[in-house]
Amino acid sequence: YGNCMNFSSQCIWSGFKTPEETVKGYEGMTGEWYCGKAGGTLPWSSVSRFWKWREKKNCPMQTVPFYNVNLVETGDIVNIGSYACETEGKFTHAMIVVDPEKLLIAQNSPACFVYYSDLANNFSRFIRPVSLKA
């Protein structure tokens, strides 16, 4: 496995901080969505587990899922799956939108920027984190 959802979770968590707050502490994480020195929970580090966790009725993170790339904003999560691999039909990778006009996306595993148009032979969904009540 790669580090993509861990990277995305760190970006989400940092996005809910105010400029005065530090991201070095672990404030703002929840009982089911957190990381520490020994690693993170499954919703923190797994694309499918994060999706299931955010769907829960009592989830402390409010999100908006959508499937139209033309609606993306900075900070939205992009999940993709490939039509051409053994995990066909499953979302297996998470990335973060950094420039919605150019559809530029940041990822980890590998650590680089990609354009949405470079994601050939893939299907996608999007998640907009709206609020977090830790």
Side-chain angles (χ1 to χ4, degrees):
Y1 293 102
N3 192 45
C4 65
M5 193 62 228
N6 173 46
F7 169 74
S8 297
S9 287
Q10 289 180 53
C11 292
I12 295 166
W13 176 55
S14 294
F16 286 120
K17 299 289 185 178
T18 64
E20 298 81 36
E21 291 178 305
T22 177
V23 295
K24 291 182 181 176
Y26 296 104
E27 303 86 18
M29 294 179 183
T30 73
E32 292 182 67
W33 182 74
Y34 65 88
C35 77
K37 293 180 181 177
T41 59
L42 286 174
W44 181 275
S45 57
S46 164
V47 172
S48 61
R49 295 292 181 97
F50 178 82
W51 182 266
K52 288 178 186 174
W53 172 73
R54 54 146 291 280
E55 286 183 314
K56 291 171 113 178
K57 261 188 175 181
N58 61 348
C59 183
M61 184 183 297
Q62 182 184 18
T63 61
V64 176
F66 58 100
Y67 293 87
N68 184 342
V69 68
N70 296 318
L71 301 176
V72 297
E73 296 177 2
T74 302
D76 287 348
I77 302 168
V78 181
N79 286 161
I80 62 166
S82 174
Y83 290 114
C85 68
E86 68 278 358
T87 56
E88 184 172 335
K90 296 181 181 177
F91 292 94
T92 57
H93 192 46
M95 302 170 284
I96 299 288
V97 176
V98 295
D99 187 333
E101 287 184 32
K102 295 179 183 176
L103 293 178
L104 184 64
I105 302 166
Q107 67 175 6
N108 189 290
S109 308
C112 63
F113 293 102
V114 295
Y115 289 98
Y116 185 78
S117 60
D118 294 334
L119 304 174
N121 205 27
N122 290 290
F123 49 92
S124 57
R125 69 182 176 202
F126 308 93
I127 305 166
R128 179 165 300 136
V130 177
S131 66
L132 176 63
K133 296 174 191 158

